[in-house]
Amino acid sequence: QEGVFSGFKARYSFEVAKSIYGDCGSNVSSSDYGIIMSPNFPLNYEGPTRGMASKTCNWYVNVRPNHKILLNFEFFAVEGDPTSRGCPAAVVRLWNTVGAPDSSVPIELCGEKPPTDKWQYMADSNHLRISFISADKSVGANGFKAVWTEIADPSGPCNEFRCTKSQFCIADKLRCNKVNNCGADDYSDEENCVVAEQMDWVLNGVLGGVSCSVF
């Protein structure tokens, strides 16, 4: 019969109010870089506790004015497939400009990143919000590991370290910290570091073997 429809079925639940960070997460500021990982990484993340609809982690990253935030996913394996069935069980959401009029439309990520793929994102400002949500239908996966780095405004001069390939300008002290801060496929901030480490070892060894007498 025309005009007759089957209606709808919905489920609701009462949950305890959470902080802006959700079940985990934090506010990150006053730093040049950081590493954000899904809960339990590299082991599987878990879904919400029984009776809860979802589990949420919110990270708020803030860097200095006139800087932006580079986010590079080194590993990513989250349930779902954005090209077919979507991300109903778990999802990572990126708000490139927190508080902007269009900040309510995040980038949504799920699926698995092949080792050779480059997954990196540049925030539009010096603020970035990263959310990880797992629903009650989640069965778990390895999750993700991401490195965020403070990048000087590309339109200005670089008074610190200029990455060779990406041309990003990062803090000098990030060189040789055993973390890739120049972005995907650019390891120039970790090059020519072995010599310095060997020299430190030699100097420590030489000085450690010298006995001194005070008269």
Side-chain angles (χ1 to χ4, degrees):
Q1 184 177 351
E2 187 176 354
V4 177
F5 301 93
S6 58
F8 67 91
K9 178 181 179 181
R11 183 184 66 175
Y12 68 90
S13 61
F14 296 98
E15 298 186 0
V16 178
K18 301 176 183 178
S19 73
I20 60 172
Y21 309 119
D23 300 286
C24 53
S26 62
N27 183 52
V28 184
S29 59
S30 302
S31 184
D32 301 296
Y33 87 100
I35 297 175
I36 294 176
M37 298 180 289
S38 54
N40 300 327
F41 184 86
L43 302 178
N44 284 12
Y45 58 80
E46 299 176 349
T49 56
R50 187 176 181 85
M52 303 295 285
S54 63
K55 182 177 182 180
T56 303
C57 303
N58 291 315
W59 294 272
Y60 294 83
V61 183
N62 305 281
V63 297
R64 293 174 293 174
N66 301 319
H67 288 72
K68 294 186 177 182
I69 302 165
L70 174 69
L71 185 69
N72 178 30
F73 285 97
E74 295 186 342
F75 181 90
F76 194 98
V78 173
E79 300 162 88
D81 184 349
T83 61
S84 58
R85 56 192 175 94
C87 312
V91 64
V92 173
R93 291 176 178 158
L94 308 178
W95 280 264
N96 276 339
T97 308
V98 178
D102 60 348
S103 62
S104 60
V105 184
I107 297 172
E108 294 199 342
L109 304 172
C110 65
E112 187 169 343
K113 181 185 87 69
T116 56
D117 281 12
K118 307 169 191 175
W119 284 21
Q120 71 175 20
Y121 302 86
M122 181 75 77
D124 296 330
S125 70
N126 61 328
H127 305 290
L128 175 66
R129 175 184 168 189
I130 305 164
S131 296
F132 175 57
I133 304 168
S134 55
D136 55 0
K137 62 181 69 177
S138 171
V139 297
N142 290 127
F144 65 89
K145 176 184 178 182
V147 176
W148 67 265
T149 304
E150 180 186 73
I151 304 294
D153 189 341
S155 63
C158 180
N159 299 317
E160 298 194 73
F161 179 75
R162 175 77 73 181
C163 299
T164 303
K165 189 172 182 179
S166 66
Q167 291 295 295
F168 293 141
C169 183
I170 65 175
D172 278 326
K173 62 183 179 181
L174 298 184
R175 288 206 64 241
C176 301
N177 65 349
K178 299 182 180 180
V179 177
N180 178 21
N181 294 109
C182 278
D185 204 28
D186 187 339
Y187 304 94
S188 55
D189 58 316
E190 298 302 311
E191 293 176 349
N192 303 318
C193 299
V194 176
V195 174
E197 292 177 357
Q198 288 178 341
M199 285 299 296
D200 288 341
W201 180 83
V202 171
L203 289 173
N204 289 332
V206 171
L207 294 177
V210 175
S211 60
C212 299
S213 300
V214 179
F215 296 93

